[in-house]
Amino acid sequence: SVEGNLSDEGLVSEDGNFYYENYIFTGKAEQVVQIKLSSDEFDTKVLLFAETGEFISENDDDLNGGKDSKIVVKLPTNGQYRLVITSHERLAQGRYHLLISESNDADLNKFESHSEASSLFHQGIGQFRDGQYLKATEFWNAALQIYQHLGDVQSETQVLSNLGSAYYRLSNYSQAISFLEQSIVLEQKLGNTRGEMASLVNLGLIYSEIGNSQKGKEILELALSLLDQEEDLQLRSFALGNLGIIYSDLSDYQTAIEHHLQSLLIKQQLDDRLGQANSLGNIGVAYLNLGDYDQALFHHQQQLAVVQDLNNLQGKSQALAGLGNVFFRMGDYHQAIVHHELALAIDRDLQNRGGEAGSLNNLGLVYESLGNYQQASYLYEQSLAIANEISDLRGQAVSLGNLGNVY
């Protein structure tokens, strides 16, 4: 057991971004050792190297995903090993505690399984941020199986919540509700109020999407009242934005804009650019429904600029669809078709079935207005088939209504 202090008086990495210390210990071939690095003052990171300088392992999160670090490893040879004790954050300083102890194969297997799940989890986050929601679910479902096998309820809960968010964006609402409700049950058992609120914020919007706006509104208002005690700006911005969407569903567009503007201000404070794009798009939708086409066009153009800068394909599809809707309402059918076809192509590339169905419906509306009823009905039928496939009740209703208008 070693007590130490990471400071600017010690060693500094070549790029000048991290302070570090070395610790040497002796090990034997096939020996299983557990290395734990903890600190109350900074987010730790530990790296292990062989005597030859060959890299062996590293970690910046223990099995509970906290700020401590943990490695369990079977040493390859007799000899000395070097630990690099450093921080996950740039130029962090503070006292630390290092503990090296004998371990066993069972702990090693558990650590390796958890490391695999953690890798899958973070790959899913990367895919989600890039708008690759289907791929994100593949990584997260694989991670979920491992966490459940390990009995890691805390990590399981986090994955369930993330899966709910991903399936919502894929318009697979039944799956989204199932995962979020499972997450809420586990969050309540763990006493994790923030996690419970995050799932409630997403769940409220989904109920609105399936046609139960009143229940969605009640869930989100409950979440906001609880968030007043949590002082969580990011989660509050999400709740305000989702409540704004519900007010639009209830045709109270001015109140919707007020909520989206509050959400946008918080996202600007947090420098959440993708969140800002979402708020801009939602404001554009509300202005479109108010008949203010100039403001709608302005906000969707701003939305498109942000997502293009971020290279977020899902966001780009949404912005293009929003612009297509504005051009449609303005009577510029050529531009409407151009933008909806671009959105459709992205949705198909991303395998976003809900987005694809929406784009098909949008194109159908344009062709219907041009008097091309055969093409319109063809597009509506494709959209209906997708809605049936993914159990999207709202999508089914929209497509059936559109088909009824054509016939």
Side-chain angles (χ1 to χ4, degrees):
S1 180
V2 177
E3 301 288 339
N5 185 41
L6 197 64
S7 74
D8 55 5
E9 296 179 357
L11 300 169
V12 183
S13 61
E14 290 183 4
D15 58 12
N17 288 328
F18 300 94
Y19 303 125
Y20 73 95
E21 292 190 347
N22 290 316
Y23 181 79
I24 307 297
F25 72 95
T26 302
K28 299 177 182 179
E30 301 298 307
Q31 180 185 13
V32 179
V33 296
Q34 178 176 270
I35 300 156
K36 295 184 71 174
L37 177 63
S38 60
S39 174
D40 294 329
E41 299 176 20
F42 65 93
D43 192 352
T44 65
K45 182 175 183 178
V46 61
L47 301 92
L48 175 64
F49 295 88
E51 189 171 3
T52 60
E54 179 184 358
F55 171 78
I56 296 176
S57 183
E58 68 175 282
N59 185 259
D60 61 9
D61 286 309
D62 61 14
L63 293 187
N64 295 318
K67 292 187 175 182
D68 296 342
S69 305
K70 180 179 177 179
I71 293 174
V72 182
V73 64
K74 182 174 287 188
L75 300 177
T77 60
N78 295 330
Q80 290 189 325
Y81 292 85
R82 178 170 66 97
L83 289 174
V84 174
I85 297 162
T86 185
S87 62
H88 181 68
E89 300 160 332
R90 184 176 182 272
L91 298 180
Q93 302 182 58
R95 297 198 60 79
Y96 64 83
H97 176 76
L98 174 66
L99 178 64
I100 303 173
S101 59
E102 193 92 20
S103 192
N104 53 56
D105 287 337
D107 285 342
L108 176 62
N109 292 335
K110 182 179 179 180
F111 177 79
E112 289 177 342
S113 294
H114 198 283
S115 296
E116 180 187 358
S118 179
S119 175
L120 290 165
F121 177 76
H122 285 98
Q123 287 180 77
I125 289 175
Q127 295 292 337
F128 186 88
R129 287 174 177 166
D130 290 340
Q132 301 279 353
Y133 302 126
L134 186 63
K135 289 183 180 178
T137 64
E138 293 171 0
F139 283 111
W140 285 336
N141 275 309
L144 180 64
Q145 291 183 19
I146 298 174
Y147 286 135
Q148 289 174 332
H149 177 72
L150 293 172
D152 184 348
V153 179
Q154 184 172 327
S155 297
E156 177 187 353
T157 305
Q158 191 172 5
V159 177
L160 287 168
S161 179
N162 286 8
L163 280 165
S165 297
Y167 279 114
Y168 162 68
R169 283 162 176 80
L170 289 167
S171 300
N172 191 333
Y173 301 127
S174 59
Q175 281 279 59
I177 289 173
S178 173
F179 281 117
L180 288 171
E181 287 181 341
Q182 290 178 68
S183 173
I184 289 168
V185 170
L186 294 181
E187 296 287 11
Q188 289 171 341
K189 288 181 179 178
L190 292 170
N192 185 352
T193 304
R194 188 194 185 280
E196 181 186 352
M197 292 306 98
S199 294
L200 282 172
V201 166
N202 287 322
L203 190 62
L205 182 59
I206 294 170
Y207 273 109
S208 175
E209 291 284 353
I210 62 175
N212 197 341
S213 296
Q214 191 57 44
K215 182 172 182 177
K217 180 171 173 285
E218 290 170 1
I219 291 173
L220 282 165
E221 287 176 341
L222 169 64
L224 271 174
S225 67
L226 294 170
L227 282 168
D228 286 339
Q229 305 166 22
E230 290 294 303
E231 297 182 355
D232 189 315
L233 285 179
Q234 185 178 50
L235 200 49
R236 185 172 184 81
S237 75
F238 291 155
L240 286 165
N242 287 357
L243 197 51
I245 292 171
I246 288 180
Y247 275 114
S248 280
D249 289 340
L250 295 169
S251 301
D252 188 349
Y253 304 119
Q254 199 57 55
T255 305
I257 290 171
E258 291 169 6
H259 280 78
H260 288 311
L261 284 172
Q262 290 180 61
S263 178
L264 178 61
L265 285 172
I266 295 173
K267 289 167 181 173
Q268 288 171 338
Q269 291 177 40
L270 299 173
D271 196 28
D272 177 6
R273 298 198 66 210
L274 184 57
Q276 292 170 38
N278 291 333
S279 292
L280 289 166
N282 289 329
I283 293 168
V285 170
Y287 273 119
L288 178 63
N289 287 316
L290 285 172
D292 190 337
Y293 302 143
D294 288 340
Q295 282 293 331
L297 196 63
F298 172 74
H299 283 89
H300 281 305
Q301 286 171 337
Q302 282 195 312
Q303 176 193 15
L304 181 61
V306 174
V307 293
Q308 283 180 324
D309 188 47
L310 295 173
N311 194 31
N312 185 283
L313 292 177
Q314 184 65 43
K316 185 177 179 181
S317 168
Q318 292 168 350
L320 288 166
L323 286 167
N325 290 334
V326 177
F327 285 122
F328 171 68
R329 293 280 288 274
M330 293 172 66
D332 189 343
Y333 298 136
H334 172 71
Q335 282 298 322
I337 289 172
V338 167
H339 284 78
H340 285 314
E341 285 184 341
L342 288 170
L344 177 62
I346 294 173
D347 290 327
R348 284 174 169 165
D349 284 344
L350 296 177
Q351 299 181 52
N352 180 0
R353 301 292 277 161
E356 181 181 353
S359 292
L360 289 166
N361 263 324
N362 288 334
L363 280 166
L365 289 171
V366 182
Y367 280 107
E368 181 183 344
S369 296
L370 288 168
N372 190 339
Y373 301 121
Q374 183 176 356
Q375 179 67 8
S377 63
Y378 171 71
L379 292 164
Y380 293 148
E381 286 168 356
Q382 288 187 73
S383 179
L384 178 60
I386 295 172
N388 289 335
E389 176 191 326
I390 63 176
S391 302
D392 179 1
L393 296 179
R394 172 177 283 197
Q396 291 169 3
V398 170
S399 297
L400 286 168
N402 289 338
L403 278 168
N405 292 334
V406 171
Y407 292 116

